[in-house]
Amino acid sequence: MTTSASAVKTKPEDLGRVTFLDGQGELPMLEITTPWSTAEIYLQGAHVTQFKKKDESPLLFLSQCSRFVEGQPIRGGIPVIFPWFGPREGLGQHGYARLKAWDLKELTQAPDGSVSVRLGLPGCPEASAYPAYTADYIVTVNQSLTLQLIITNQSRDAAFSFEDCLHTYFDVGDVTAIAISGLKGLSYIDTVAGFVEKTETSDTLRIAGEVDRIYPNSTGTVAIFDPRLSRKILVEKQGSASTVVWNPWIAKARRMSDFGDEEYERMVCVESGNVASNGISLPPGGSSNMTVKLSSVTLK
Ligand code: TA6
């Protein structure tokens, strides 16, 4: 016997729920609950600070020392990096999108219990250096976490060149025990070794010191095997040509005032974006759409 969807009454507890509240530092945030998971998004930086599946430990790392101050980046979660990646003379690191309060544009609760939140980057003085553009960010929460960053060149006559990156901090049981796959055979820029270009020859990348690598033309799925937390994290993506892998290790961790000295042991960044040689140039009216799906499976 088939039952039409309309005949199936969705119980309230099966719908996704969104709660607006003041988070750390009194910064406004959304708390999202679905039948499978919970998530937190701060309007500051459209910053996802947590995603946690029921009966699993948090997927994302958030520093215990993070600042929650308007205009300052949150340390951990998923910083939205735009319109540039890395340092810029006199302009700071990783663009200004993560420093601004984004506007909440739309909330969608799907009949299956998924919740989607669309946020928009408002105009700001720094944007005057660029052609007119819009930046929309859609976060979808269900059994996994899907992030979509859509940049549109609203100019009628000028190209818009930029970099973007979802700088995701993953929570791991012990960074020296994880293995990262999906990068074998790719070239990478080793910024720790003076930005020299190398080739990834190992089947899996292990972390035993500071790692800060940009893998250009890296479009495939990356997996993080975490034996301590008995899970495999998958980073699947479309519209992203670059992967960045980062762990600050001991010395850099100590230099970061918004990061605990020992916290390098519990995190790794696997970032999805379009940076360096993969930067994007949009023609007038053109759009880019980067979609990243973060999921996890339990290791038997
Ligand atoms: O993505 C790696 C990286 O560029 C590292 O070089 C390190 O600076 C990290 O980003 C964190 O940057 P942040 O500006 O958030 O401290």
Side-chain angles (χ1 to χ4, degrees):
M1 178 186 81
T2 56
T3 306
S4 69
S6 58
V8 174
K9 292 280 175 271
T10 304
K11 298 191 294 300
E13 60 272 24
D14 292 343
L15 272 180
R17 283 197 319 277
V18 181
T19 309
F20 297 79
L21 43 90
D22 285 340
Q24 299 191 56
E26 303 296 303
L27 293 177
M29 65 175 282
L30 307 174
E31 203 169 69
I32 296 166
T33 304
T34 76
W36 310 273
S37 59
T38 56
E40 294 175 354
I41 310 175
Y42 279 77
L43 296 187
Q44 157 89 6
H47 202 123
V48 177
T49 49
Q50 201 38 272
F51 172 75
K52 183 185 179 304
K53 279 162 66 177
K54 288 177 179 167
D55 70 37
E56 199 174 302
S57 62
L59 188 73
L60 304 177
F61 165 87
L62 183 66
S63 172
Q64 298 295 313
C65 308
S66 177
R67 297 184 192 91
F68 286 86
V69 176
E70 207 166 318
Q72 295 193 20
I74 295 170
R75 176 68 66 191
I78 308 175
V80 178
I81 308 298
F82 171 79
W84 72 85
F85 177 90
R88 277 287 166 85
E89 191 58 43
L91 287 173
Q93 170 105 327
H94 288 340
Y96 50 79
R98 64 176 178 168
L99 309 178
K100 305 294 180 186
W102 289 50
D103 296 326
L104 177 59
K105 298 280 193 182
E106 188 177 18
L107 274 180
T108 310
Q109 292 165 295
D112 74 348
S114 297
V115 172
S116 286
V117 179
R118 182 166 67 87
L119 301 126
L121 177 62
C124 61
E126 298 88 336
S128 60
Y130 298 93
Y133 66 81
T134 51
D136 282 88
Y137 187 47
I138 302 163
V139 179
T140 301
V141 184
N142 46 40
Q143 302 93 323
S144 57
L145 179 67
T146 301
L147 312 150
Q148 202 178 3
L149 183 61
I150 302 165
I151 309 295
T152 302
N153 180 357
Q154 302 291 356
S155 166
R156 292 176 185 279
D157 49 22
F160 174 33
S161 298
F162 62 91
E163 296 168 297
D164 59 6
C165 187
L166 298 177
H167 193 300
T168 310
Y169 288 69
F170 292 100
D171 189 75
V172 298
D174 170 356
V175 74
T176 64
I178 66 171
I180 300 170
S181 68
L183 300 166
K184 182 173 183 180
L186 295 175
S187 67
Y188 65 91
I189 298 164
D190 185 342
T191 72
V192 176
F195 290 79
V196 293
E197 187 169 325
K198 300 179 178 177
T199 300
E200 189 58 73
T201 54
S202 53
D203 288 334
T204 60
L205 169 58
R206 309 297 297 252
I207 310 278
E210 183 182 356
V211 170
D212 192 350
R213 301 180 177 184
I214 300 172
Y215 293 81
N217 312 316
S218 155
T219 56
T221 297
V222 173
I224 305 170
F225 289 84
D226 183 344
R228 293 284 181 284
L229 297 183
S230 300
R231 73 176 172 196
K232 173 173 75 170
I233 295 172
L234 289 177
V235 182
E236 301 168 273
K237 58 183 191 170
Q238 285 88 32
S240 158
S242 317
T243 299
V244 181
V245 178
W246 178 59
N247 181 282
W249 206 247
I250 298 168
K252 189 158 191 178
R254 288 201 178 127
R255 294 199 298 270
M256 293 156 59
S257 60
D258 61 346
F259 189 86
D261 289 354
E262 314 300 327
E263 288 188 319
Y264 71 92
E265 296 172 342
R266 289 295 310 255
M267 55 70 68
V268 67
C269 284
V270 175
E271 309 159 35
S272 307
N274 297 283
V275 305
S277 59
N278 293 134
I280 291 175
S281 181
L282 288 178
S287 275
S288 66
N289 179 341
M290 171 164 64
T291 302
V292 179
K293 180 183 174 186
L294 308 178
S295 60
S296 61
V297 290
T298 303
L299 293 176
K300 295 282 177 259

